[in-house]
Every structure is written in C-alpha cells, then in structure tokens.
Amino acid sequence: ASDAELDRETIELRVAGAALAMRRAEYNLLRRTEADDKPAPIQAGPIQLFLPSATDTWPRSVMVVTGEEQLQLLVLRQESARENYVLVHYANLLPGTAFPEVSAEAVGANIVKSDSKFLAFEPEKLPEAVGDLINNAGDSAWSALVDPENKYVMDLAAVQQNLTETLSNANLSFEHKLGDRNIDMLATADGGALAAVYMIDTYTIIPKSPGDAVAITGNEALLLGTGGSSTGIETRYGSMLIFHIPSTGSDQPVRLLGATQQLLTTVNLGTR
C-alpha cells in the first residue's frame, strides 16, 4: 500500500532500519520524476526458504528467500512478543549464488552475535573490506579474506573507475562505511553465519581549480536540482548486503550472496 502511494509515513508500520531508509529514499526520487514509476517490488512469494531464529526470547528474526526468476532475501525482526514483525533488510540474490546449507524450518537457526569468536571475520568490518576491494581491486589487503571476484564488487569498481576517468578536472574520493550497527545474523550448517549488513557509500567530487565545474546526470542531477556544481558534490548510496561468513579456521573466504543499492542523497557542497 505504501509503494502504491509512495507514502513515507504509512510504511513505518511494517518497515524499519535500513529497509525504511532506502525505501523512503526511493519514494523521494520517484516523486521527482514525471514517469508513473513504482518502487522495485518486495516479493512476498513464492517462499523458497524460511529460516526462523531458534530462540524463545526477543528480539528475534526471520530470513526468507522469495521469488522465482529474481530471488530476494528478506530479513524480518520482532522486537517484542506483542509487536508485529517488521521488514528491516532486503537484497536481491546475485546470479549464480551458491546458497549455504541451513537448518530445517522446524528447527530454526541460532542467532549469532556480532562479537562472536566463532566467525572467521568480524561482520562490522565488512563494509571496510568490501569498500577497499571496490577501491583497490586485487591490490586490496582484504582480497584473501573476502571474495574479490564478486560481480557486484567488480561492477561498482568499474563505476568508480569510469567516474575517475570521465571527471578528469575534479578530485574524487570514495568512502564505504557501516550504516547500521544492528547486524542480523543467523547460523549456517557449517558453523558460519548469514549476515545482513547495511553499507553507506559516499562519492565526493570537488573541482581541481577555481572556475572549474563538475557535471552530473541522471538521478543524481534530479536530486541535486541542477546538472553540476562549481564547489563540489557529495552523493550517498545505501547498500543492503547479504554475506556468508565462514566459521573460524575455515579456508573459505567471506562471500557476498545478495545486494541492493539505492541512491540516498546528492548535495552541493557549497550550500549544504
């Protein structure tokens, strides 16, 4: 119902966290277009996998894989016994993804805490690691720990490289940080975990010389309200990511299973 009306208020009833921030940003962008477009749908079914947390306390979470041709992983969280489950995370599974084995629905999966000593990688450091892979590709210090050949990572690296080559009259910087410390994790059968991580990607473009200007197009220009700036532009994207983190002692790297990115803001650095 919220998607149909691009309703920023009603959506709060059943959506929270990173999912709310990204959906509201998508509404904001669509309201500025002349086309009668709707947000990319969040698929309620068919349900391909249902993984509840094996706990009798709160908060508790559920991970659900839905869809047919394009599979999505949704994360729902219930803060207390009398509250509804709300959608806090959604990501499209990447093509060819080999999903890790998980417990049966009737059994459920243990909740894994962010500071677990049984994981091969700290989940809060994943945005830093993925960001460094995007920025530096095979030269990244993280390439032995996190799969560097992931298509999503390589596509974003290509976008950044293209910006650098196209905007030769500007200084560019790319920053990738954790956007929400609430990381939902459920255990996998191999002793690792499925981790839902929210990353904020910030692109900063500043003209090299006084009198120069930088130009932007597409949705970024739509949010900025103009096609360029003589003082600089900062653009922020939100990325909801799903990882498989192996257990301590494993020789397997962390794998990115799913990703959904959304333009959040574009601002003129001279007027913000």
Side-chain angles (χ1 to χ4, degrees):
S2 296
D3 282 356
E5 301 297 330
L6 303 180
D7 188 339
R8 291 172 50 87
E9 305 306 322
T10 303
I11 195 174
E12 283 189 359
L13 295 174
R14 296 304 290 267
V15 183
L20 179 61
M22 284 187 47
R23 212 64 176 176
R24 279 181 159 175
E26 191 170 10
Y27 289 176
N28 183 44
L29 185 60
L30 290 172
R31 284 183 177 276
R32 294 168 183 255
T33 65
E34 295 181 1
D36 189 28
D37 293 333
K38 297 300 180 187
I42 295 172
Q43 303 176 98
I47 293 175
Q48 307 289 355
L49 178 144
F50 186 84
L51 185 65
S53 52
T55 179
D56 56 3
T57 62
W58 283 267
R60 54 179 58 173
S61 58
V62 176
M63 292 187 179
V64 189
V65 175
T66 64
E68 291 180 298
E69 293 184 5
Q70 173 60 69
L71 298 178
Q72 291 182 324
L73 190 144
L74 315 179
V75 182
L76 312 173
R77 186 189 301 148
Q78 186 187 35
E79 294 295 341
S80 68
R82 300 301 178 189
E83 294 184 68
N84 283 321
Y85 276 89
V86 294
L87 178 71
V88 295
H89 201 95
Y90 57 93
N92 293 331
L93 293 186
L94 301 175
T97 296
F99 204 82
E101 186 177 347
V102 296
S103 301
E105 176 182 331
V107 177
N110 290 330
I111 293 174
V112 181
K113 295 184 178 180
S114 295
D115 60 356
S116 172
K117 304 301 182 184
F118 299 102
L119 296 179
F121 200 96
E122 295 178 45
E124 291 183 353
K125 290 185 177 180
L126 280 169
E128 177 186 353
V130 170
D132 199 63
L133 286 171
I134 294 169
N135 293 347
N136 300 304
D139 295 329
S140 171
W142 303 97
S143 59
L145 299 173
V146 180
D147 178 17
E149 301 299 322
N150 183 274
K151 185 178 186 304
Y152 180 79
V153 171
M154 292 192 292
D155 285 351
L156 284 188
V159 168
Q160 291 188 182
Q161 182 62 32
N162 182 63
L163 284 173
T164 301
E165 294 172 356
T166 303
L167 299 171
S168 57
N169 67 330
N171 293 313
L172 283 79
S173 64
F174 306 102
E175 184 180 62
H176 310 274
K177 288 189 173 182
L178 184 67
D180 189 344
R181 297 186 69 87
N182 289 317
I183 299 176
D184 287 277
M185 294 199 295
L186 293 180
T188 52
D190 61 0
L194 291 170
V197 178
Y198 184 45
M199 181 168 76
I200 299 294
D201 308 297
T202 303
Y203 297 179
T204 304
I205 308 169
I206 299 177
K208 288 181 178 179
S209 304
D212 282 349
V214 291
I216 57 171
T217 59
N219 289 335
E220 289 84 356
L222 195 63
L223 284 187
L224 189 64
T226 182
S229 170
S230 60
T231 55
I233 297 169
E234 181 186 273
T235 300
R236 294 170 67 247
Y237 294 85
S239 297
M240 289 189 288
L241 310 173
I242 299 291
F243 293 93
H244 173 226
I245 306 176
S247 61
T248 300
S250 171
D251 59 357
Q252 297 298 310
V254 175
R255 292 189 301 118
L256 178 61
L257 307 179
T260 292
Q261 188 187 65
Q262 174 62 46
L263 173 62
L264 300 177
T265 60
T266 301
V267 296
N268 191 323
L269 292 176
T271 59
R272 68 172 181 173

mmCIF file with all atom_site columns, all heavy atoms in Angstrom, residues 199-220:
data_model
loop_
_atom_site.group_PDB
_atom_site.id
_atom_site.type_symbol
_atom_site.label_atom_id
_atom_site.label_alt_id
_atom_site.label_comp_id
_atom_site.label_asym_id
_atom_site.label_entity_id
_atom_site.label_seq_id
_atom_site.pdbx_PDB_ins_code
_atom_site.Cartn_x
_atom_site.Cartn_y
_atom_site.Cartn_z
_atom_site.occupancy
_atom_site.B_iso_or_equiv
_atom_site.pdbx_formal_charge
_atom_site.auth_seq_id
_atom_site.auth_comp_id
_atom_site.auth_asym_id
_atom_site.auth_atom_id
_atom_site.pdbx_PDB_model_num
ATOM 1   N N   . MET A 1 199 ? 25.526 -0.881 4.251   1.00 0.00 ? 199 MET A N   1
ATOM 2   C CA  . MET A 1 199 ? 26.722 -0.102 3.950   1.00 0.00 ? 199 MET A CA  1
ATOM 3   C C   . MET A 1 199 ? 26.324 1.236  3.336   1.00 0.00 ? 199 MET A C   1
ATOM 4   O O   . MET A 1 199 ? 25.398 1.295  2.521   1.00 0.00 ? 199 MET A O   1
ATOM 5   C CB  . MET A 1 199 ? 27.620 -0.886 2.979   1.00 0.00 ? 199 MET A CB  1
ATOM 6   C CG  . MET A 1 199 ? 28.922 -0.186 2.606   1.00 0.00 ? 199 MET A CG  1
ATOM 7   S SD  . MET A 1 199 ? 30.101 -1.284 1.744   1.00 0.00 ? 199 MET A SD  1
ATOM 8   C CE  . MET A 1 199 ? 29.355 -1.351 0.094   1.00 0.00 ? 199 MET A CE  1
ATOM 9   N N   . ILE A 1 200 ? 27.016 2.305  3.725   1.00 0.00 ? 200 ILE A N   1
ATOM 10  C CA  . ILE A 1 200 ? 26.820 3.620  3.121   1.00 0.00 ? 200 ILE A CA  1
ATOM 11  C C   . ILE A 1 200 ? 28.035 3.920  2.243   1.00 0.00 ? 200 ILE A C   1
ATOM 12  O O   . ILE A 1 200 ? 29.181 3.907  2.701   1.00 0.00 ? 200 ILE A O   1
ATOM 13  C CB  . ILE A 1 200 ? 26.669 4.722  4.187   1.00 0.00 ? 200 ILE A CB  1
ATOM 14  C CG1 . ILE A 1 200 ? 25.454 4.455  5.081   1.00 0.00 ? 200 ILE A CG1 1
ATOM 15  C CG2 . ILE A 1 200 ? 26.560 6.083  3.511   1.00 0.00 ? 200 ILE A CG2 1
ATOM 16  C CD1 . ILE A 1 200 ? 24.123 4.554  4.369   1.00 0.00 ? 200 ILE A CD1 1
ATOM 17  N N   . ASP A 1 201 ? 27.776 4.191  0.961   1.00 0.00 ? 201 ASP A N   1
ATOM 18  C CA  . ASP A 1 201 ? 28.826 4.537  0.006   1.00 0.00 ? 201 ASP A CA  1
ATOM 19  C C   . ASP A 1 201 ? 28.731 6.040  -0.269  1.00 0.00 ? 201 ASP A C   1
ATOM 20  O O   . ASP A 1 201 ? 27.673 6.528  -0.679  1.00 0.00 ? 201 ASP A O   1
ATOM 21  C CB  . ASP A 1 201 ? 28.634 3.779  -1.310  1.00 0.00 ? 201 ASP A CB  1
ATOM 22  C CG  . ASP A 1 201 ? 28.476 2.281  -1.096  1.00 0.00 ? 201 ASP A CG  1
ATOM 23  O OD1 . ASP A 1 201 ? 29.434 1.659  -0.604  1.00 0.00 ? 201 ASP A OD1 1
ATOM 24  O OD2 . ASP A 1 201 ? 27.400 1.739  -1.424  1.00 0.00 ? 201 ASP A OD2 1
ATOM 25  N N   . THR A 1 202 ? 29.829 6.761  -0.073  1.00 0.00 ? 202 THR A N   1
ATOM 26  C CA  . THR A 1 202 ? 29.841 8.204  -0.281  1.00 0.00 ? 202 THR A CA  1
ATOM 27  C C   . THR A 1 202 ? 30.850 8.561  -1.360  1.00 0.00 ? 202 THR A C   1
ATOM 28  O O   . THR A 1 202 ? 32.029 8.215  -1.260  1.00 0.00 ? 202 THR A O   1
ATOM 29  C CB  . THR A 1 202 ? 30.207 8.953  1.018   1.00 0.00 ? 202 THR A CB  1
ATOM 30  O OG1 . THR A 1 202 ? 29.282 8.581  2.047   1.00 0.00 ? 202 THR A OG1 1
ATOM 31  C CG2 . THR A 1 202 ? 30.152 10.460 0.801   1.00 0.00 ? 202 THR A CG2 1
ATOM 32  N N   . TYR A 1 203 ? 30.368 9.246  -2.410  1.00 0.00 ? 203 TYR A N   1
ATOM 33  C CA  . TYR A 1 203 ? 31.217 9.716  -3.500  1.00 0.00 ? 203 TYR A CA  1
ATOM 34  C C   . TYR A 1 203 ? 31.327 11.234 -3.384  1.00 0.00 ? 203 TYR A C   1
ATOM 35  O O   . TYR A 1 203 ? 30.307 11.945 -3.378  1.00 0.00 ? 203 TYR A O   1
ATOM 36  C CB  . TYR A 1 203 ? 30.617 9.383  -4.868  1.00 0.00 ? 203 TYR A CB  1
ATOM 37  C CG  . TYR A 1 203 ? 30.461 7.907  -5.186  1.00 0.00 ? 203 TYR A CG  1
ATOM 38  C CD1 . TYR A 1 203 ? 29.909 7.499  -6.399  1.00 0.00 ? 203 TYR A CD1 1
ATOM 39  C CD2 . TYR A 1 203 ? 30.853 6.916  -4.293  1.00 0.00 ? 203 TYR A CD2 1
ATOM 40  C CE1 . TYR A 1 203 ? 29.759 6.155  -6.717  1.00 0.00 ? 203 TYR A CE1 1
ATOM 41  C CE2 . TYR A 1 203 ? 30.712 5.573  -4.578  1.00 0.00 ? 203 TYR A CE2 1
ATOM 42  C CZ  . TYR A 1 203 ? 30.147 5.192  -5.794  1.00 0.00 ? 203 TYR A CZ  1
ATOM 43  O OH  . TYR A 1 203 ? 30.014 3.857  -6.082  1.00 0.00 ? 203 TYR A OH  1
ATOM 44  N N   . THR A 1 204 ? 32.549 11.748 -3.307  1.00 0.00 ? 204 THR A N   1
ATOM 45  C CA  . THR A 1 204 ? 32.773 13.191 -3.218  1.00 0.00 ? 204 THR A CA  1
ATOM 46  C C   . THR A 1 204 ? 33.557 13.659 -4.439  1.00 0.00 ? 204 THR A C   1
ATOM 47  O O   . THR A 1 204 ? 34.606 13.090 -4.756  1.00 0.00 ? 204 THR A O   1
ATOM 48  C CB  . THR A 1 204 ? 33.534 13.555 -1.936  1.00 0.00 ? 204 THR A CB  1
ATOM 49  O OG1 . THR A 1 204 ? 32.813 13.042 -0.800  1.00 0.00 ? 204 THR A OG1 1
ATOM 50  C CG2 . THR A 1 204 ? 33.671 15.062 -1.796  1.00 0.00 ? 204 THR A CG2 1
ATOM 51  N N   . ILE A 1 205 ? 33.033 14.678 -5.117  1.00 0.00 ? 205 ILE A N   1
ATOM 52  C CA  . ILE A 1 205 ? 33.640 15.215 -6.338  1.00 0.00 ? 205 ILE A CA  1
ATOM 53  C C   . ILE A 1 205 ? 33.868 16.703 -6.131  1.00 0.00 ? 205 ILE A C   1
ATOM 54  O O   . ILE A 1 205 ? 32.910 17.457 -5.898  1.00 0.00 ? 205 ILE A O   1
ATOM 55  C CB  . ILE A 1 205 ? 32.729 14.997 -7.563  1.00 0.00 ? 205 ILE A CB  1
ATOM 56  C CG1 . ILE A 1 205 ? 32.306 13.526 -7.672  1.00 0.00 ? 205 ILE A CG1 1
ATOM 57  C CG2 . ILE A 1 205 ? 33.405 15.466 -8.838  1.00 0.00 ? 205 ILE A CG2 1
ATOM 58  C CD1 . ILE A 1 205 ? 31.198 13.289 -8.704  1.00 0.00 ? 205 ILE A CD1 1
ATOM 59  N N   . ILE A 1 206 ? 35.136 17.150 -6.211  1.00 0.00 ? 206 ILE A N   1
ATOM 60  C CA  . ILE A 1 206 ? 35.469 18.555 -5.997  1.00 0.00 ? 206 ILE A CA  1
ATOM 61  C C   . ILE A 1 206 ? 36.322 19.043 -7.167  1.00 0.00 ? 206 ILE A C   1
ATOM 62  O O   . ILE A 1 206 ? 37.335 18.419 -7.499  1.00 0.00 ? 206 ILE A O   1
ATOM 63  C CB  . ILE A 1 206 ? 36.240 18.748 -4.669  1.00 0.00 ? 206 ILE A CB  1
ATOM 64  C CG1 . ILE A 1 206 ? 35.375 18.279 -3.481  1.00 0.00 ? 206 ILE A CG1 1
ATOM 65  C CG2 . ILE A 1 206 ? 36.655 20.202 -4.485  1.00 0.00 ? 206 ILE A CG2 1
ATOM 66  C CD1 . ILE A 1 206 ? 36.073 18.353 -2.151  1.00 0.00 ? 206 ILE A CD1 1
ATOM 67  N N   . PRO A 1 207 ? 35.934 20.157 -7.810  1.00 0.00 ? 207 PRO A N   1
ATOM 68  C CA  . PRO A 1 207 ? 36.733 20.686 -8.921  1.00 0.00 ? 207 PRO A CA  1
ATOM 69  C C   . PRO A 1 207 ? 38.175 20.957 -8.492  1.00 0.00 ? 207 PRO A C   1
ATOM 70  O O   . PRO A 1 207 ? 38.432 21.419 -7.383  1.00 0.00 ? 207 PRO A O   1
ATOM 71  C CB  . PRO A 1 207 ? 36.014 21.989 -9.294  1.00 0.00 ? 207 PRO A CB  1
ATOM 72  C CG  . PRO A 1 207 ? 34.615 21.792 -8.804  1.00 0.00 ? 207 PRO A CG  1
ATOM 73  C CD  . PRO A 1 207 ? 34.725 20.959 -7.565  1.00 0.00 ? 207 PRO A CD  1
ATOM 74  N N   . LYS A 1 208 ? 39.111 20.672 -9.406  1.00 0.00 ? 208 LYS A N   1
ATOM 75  C CA  . LYS A 1 208 ? 40.523 20.839 -9.067  1.00 0.00 ? 208 LYS A CA  1
ATOM 76  C C   . LYS A 1 208 ? 40.939 22.305 -9.000  1.00 0.00 ? 208 LYS A C   1
ATOM 77  O O   . LYS A 1 208 ? 41.783 22.691 -8.194  1.00 0.00 ? 208 LYS A O   1
ATOM 78  C CB  . LYS A 1 208 ? 41.386 20.118 -10.107 1.00 0.00 ? 208 LYS A CB  1
ATOM 79  C CG  . LYS A 1 208 ? 41.339 18.606 -10.015 1.00 0.00 ? 208 LYS A CG  1
ATOM 80  C CD  . LYS A 1 208 ? 42.237 17.968 -11.060 1.00 0.00 ? 208 LYS A CD  1
ATOM 81  C CE  . LYS A 1 208 ? 42.224 16.448 -10.947 1.00 0.00 ? 208 LYS A CE  1
ATOM 82  N NZ  . LYS A 1 208 ? 43.075 15.800 -11.977 1.00 0.00 ? 208 LYS A NZ  1
ATOM 83  N N   . SER A 1 209 ? 40.361 23.141 -9.866  1.00 0.00 ? 209 SER A N   1
ATOM 84  C CA  . SER A 1 209 ? 40.811 24.532 -9.962  1.00 0.00 ? 209 SER A CA  1
ATOM 85  C C   . SER A 1 209 ? 39.644 25.503 -9.819  1.00 0.00 ? 209 SER A C   1
ATOM 86  O O   . SER A 1 209 ? 38.520 25.178 -10.214 1.00 0.00 ? 209 SER A O   1
ATOM 87  C CB  . SER A 1 209 ? 41.490 24.773 -11.317 1.00 0.00 ? 209 SER A CB  1
ATOM 88  O OG  . SER A 1 209 ? 42.549 23.861 -11.522 1.00 0.00 ? 209 SER A OG  1
ATOM 89  N N   . PRO A 1 210 ? 39.884 26.686 -9.252  1.00 0.00 ? 210 PRO A N   1
ATOM 90  C CA  . PRO A 1 210 ? 38.830 27.706 -9.183  1.00 0.00 ? 210 PRO A CA  1
ATOM 91  C C   . PRO A 1 210 ? 38.318 28.024 -10.592 1.00 0.00 ? 210 PRO A C   1
ATOM 92  O O   . PRO A 1 210 ? 39.091 28.140 -11.540 1.00 0.00 ? 210 PRO A O   1
ATOM 93  C CB  . PRO A 1 210 ? 39.550 28.917 -8.578  1.00 0.00 ? 210 PRO A CB  1
ATOM 94  C CG  . PRO A 1 210 ? 40.711 28.330 -7.842  1.00 0.00 ? 210 PRO A CG  1
ATOM 95  C CD  . PRO A 1 210 ? 41.142 27.141 -8.624  1.00 0.00 ? 210 PRO A CD  1
ATOM 96  N N   . GLY A 1 211 ? 37.015 28.113 -10.703 1.00 0.00 ? 211 GLY A N   1
ATOM 97  C CA  . GLY A 1 211 ? 36.423 28.375 -12.004 1.00 0.00 ? 211 GLY A CA  1
ATOM 98  C C   . GLY A 1 211 ? 35.992 27.129 -12.735 1.00 0.00 ? 211 GLY A C   1
ATOM 99  O O   . GLY A 1 211 ? 35.198 27.197 -13.682 1.00 0.00 ? 211 GLY A O   1
ATOM 100 N N   . ASP A 1 212 ? 36.517 25.976 -12.315 1.00 0.00 ? 212 ASP A N   1
ATOM 101 C CA  . ASP A 1 212 ? 36.087 24.708 -12.907 1.00 0.00 ? 212 ASP A CA  1
ATOM 102 C C   . ASP A 1 212 ? 34.725 24.310 -12.330 1.00 0.00 ? 212 ASP A C   1
ATOM 103 O O   . ASP A 1 212 ? 34.323 24.776 -11.261 1.00 0.00 ? 212 ASP A O   1
ATOM 104 C CB  . ASP A 1 212 ? 37.085 23.588 -12.621 1.00 0.00 ? 212 ASP A CB  1
ATOM 105 C CG  . ASP A 1 212 ? 38.305 23.670 -13.527 1.00 0.00 ? 212 ASP A CG  1
ATOM 106 O OD1 . ASP A 1 212 ? 38.259 24.461 -14.490 1.00 0.00 ? 212 ASP A OD1 1
ATOM 107 O OD2 . ASP A 1 212 ? 39.284 22.956 -13.265 1.00 0.00 ? 212 ASP A OD2 1
ATOM 108 N N   . ALA A 1 213 ? 34.049 23.435 -13.034 1.00 0.00 ? 213 ALA A N   1
ATOM 109 C CA  . ALA A 1 213 ? 32.775 22.890 -12.556 1.00 0.00 ? 213 ALA A CA  1
ATOM 110 C C   . ALA A 1 213 ? 32.707 21.424 -12.916 1.00 0.00 ? 213 ALA A C   1
ATOM 111 O O   . ALA A 1 213 ? 33.365 20.972 -13.858 1.00 0.00 ? 213 ALA A O   1
ATOM 112 C CB  . ALA A 1 213 ? 31.596 23.642 -13.172 1.00 0.00 ? 213 ALA A CB  1
ATOM 113 N N   . VAL A 1 214 ? 31.947 20.685 -12.146 1.00 0.00 ? 214 VAL A N   1
ATOM 114 C CA  . VAL A 1 214 ? 31.750 19.263 -12.433 1.00 0.00 ? 214 VAL A CA  1
ATOM 115 C C   . VAL A 1 214 ? 30.287 19.050 -12.797 1.00 0.00 ? 214 VAL A C   1
ATOM 116 O O   . VAL A 1 214 ? 29.392 19.675 -12.224 1.00 0.00 ? 214 VAL A O   1
ATOM 117 C CB  . VAL A 1 214 ? 32.138 18.371 -11.234 1.00 0.00 ? 214 VAL A CB  1
ATOM 118 C CG1 . VAL A 1 214 ? 33.639 18.413 -11.019 1.00 0.00 ? 214 VAL A CG1 1
ATOM 119 C CG2 . VAL A 1 214 ? 31.427 18.801 -9.957  1.00 0.00 ? 214 VAL A CG2 1
ATOM 120 N N   . ALA A 1 215 ? 30.071 18.159 -13.767 1.00 0.00 ? 215 ALA A N   1
ATOM 121 C CA  . ALA A 1 215 ? 28.719 17.897 -14.255 1.00 0.00 ? 215 ALA A CA  1
ATOM 122 C C   . ALA A 1 215 ? 28.263 16.507 -13.841 1.00 0.00 ? 215 ALA A C   1
ATOM 123 O O   . ALA A 1 215 ? 29.066 15.569 -13.772 1.00 0.00 ? 215 ALA A O   1
ATOM 124 C CB  . ALA A 1 215 ? 28.674 18.013 -15.777 1.00 0.00 ? 215 ALA A CB  1
ATOM 125 N N   . ILE A 1 216 ? 26.978 16.374 -13.530 1.00 0.00 ? 216 ILE A N   1
ATOM 126 C CA  . ILE A 1 216 ? 26.382 15.084 -13.232 1.00 0.00 ? 216 ILE A CA  1
ATOM 127 C C   . ILE A 1 216 ? 25.082 14.960 -14.017 1.00 0.00 ? 216 ILE A C   1
ATOM 128 O O   . ILE A 1 216 ? 24.512 15.957 -14.455 1.00 0.00 ? 216 ILE A O   1
ATOM 129 C CB  . ILE A 1 216 ? 26.105 14.894 -11.721 1.00 0.00 ? 216 ILE A CB  1
ATOM 130 C CG1 . ILE A 1 216 ? 25.192 16.008 -11.185 1.00 0.00 ? 216 ILE A CG1 1
ATOM 131 C CG2 . ILE A 1 216 ? 27.397 14.810 -10.935 1.00 0.00 ? 216 ILE A CG2 1
ATOM 132 C CD1 . ILE A 1 216 ? 24.718 15.765 -9.771  1.00 0.00 ? 216 ILE A CD1 1
ATOM 133 N N   . THR A 1 217 ? 24.624 13.727 -14.175 1.00 0.00 ? 217 THR A N   1
ATOM 134 C CA  . THR A 1 217 ? 23.397 13.474 -14.934 1.00 0.00 ? 217 THR A CA  1
ATOM 135 C C   . THR A 1 217 ? 22.524 12.479 -14.175 1.00 0.00 ? 217 THR A C   1
ATOM 136 O O   . THR A 1 217 ? 22.869 12.037 -13.080 1.00 0.00 ? 217 THR A O   1
ATOM 137 C CB  . THR A 1 217 ? 23.732 12.891 -16.327 1.00 0.00 ? 217 THR A CB  1
ATOM 138 O OG1 . THR A 1 217 ? 24.469 11.653 -16.150 1.00 0.00 ? 217 THR A OG1 1
ATOM 139 C CG2 . THR A 1 217 ? 24.568 13.854 -17.146 1.00 0.00 ? 217 THR A CG2 1
ATOM 140 N N   . GLY A 1 218 ? 21.404 12.113 -14.781 1.00 0.00 ? 218 GLY A N   1
ATOM 141 C CA  . GLY A 1 218 ? 20.546 11.060 -14.246 1.00 0.00 ? 218 GLY A CA  1
ATOM 142 C C   . GLY A 1 218 ? 19.916 11.404 -12.917 1.00 0.00 ? 218 GLY A C   1
ATOM 143 O O   . GLY A 1 218 ? 19.593 12.563 -12.621 1.00 0.00 ? 218 GLY A O   1
ATOM 144 N N   . ASN A 1 219 ? 19.745 10.383 -12.075 1.00 0.00 ? 219 ASN A N   1
ATOM 145 C CA  . ASN A 1 219 ? 19.062 10.562 -10.796 1.00 0.00 ? 219 ASN A CA  1
ATOM 146 C C   . ASN A 1 219 ? 19.811 11.489 -9.846  1.00 0.00 ? 219 ASN A C   1
ATOM 147 O O   . ASN A 1 219 ? 19.198 12.195 -9.039  1.00 0.00 ? 219 ASN A O   1
ATOM 148 C CB  . ASN A 1 219 ? 18.847 9.209  -10.127 1.00 0.00 ? 219 ASN A CB  1
ATOM 149 C CG  . ASN A 1 219 ? 17.802 8.375  -10.847 1.00 0.00 ? 219 ASN A CG  1
ATOM 150 O OD1 . ASN A 1 219 ? 16.931 8.910  -11.528 1.00 0.00 ? 219 ASN A OD1 1
ATOM 151 N ND2 . ASN A 1 219 ? 17.884 7.057  -10.701 1.00 0.00 ? 219 ASN A ND2 1
ATOM 152 N N   . GLU A 1 220 ? 21.140 11.486 -9.939  1.00 0.00 ? 220 GLU A N   1
ATOM 153 C CA  . GLU A 1 220 ? 21.921 12.374 -9.082  1.00 0.00 ? 220 GLU A CA  1
ATOM 154 C C   . GLU A 1 220 ? 21.590 13.834 -9.391  1.00 0.00 ? 220 GLU A C   1
ATOM 155 O O   . GLU A 1 220 ? 21.403 14.655 -8.493  1.00 0.00 ? 220 GLU A O   1
ATOM 156 C CB  . GLU A 1 220 ? 23.418 12.114 -9.266  1.00 0.00 ? 220 GLU A CB  1
ATOM 157 C CG  . GLU A 1 220 ? 23.911 10.808 -8.685  1.00 0.00 ? 220 GLU A CG  1
ATOM 158 C CD  . GLU A 1 220 ? 23.698 9.631  -9.618  1.00 0.00 ? 220 GLU A CD  1
ATOM 159 O OE1 . GLU A 1 220 ? 23.083 9.810  -10.700 1.00 0.00 ? 220 GLU A OE1 1
ATOM 160 O OE2 . GLU A 1 220 ? 24.133 8.520  -9.273  1.00 0.00 ? 220 GLU A OE2 1
#
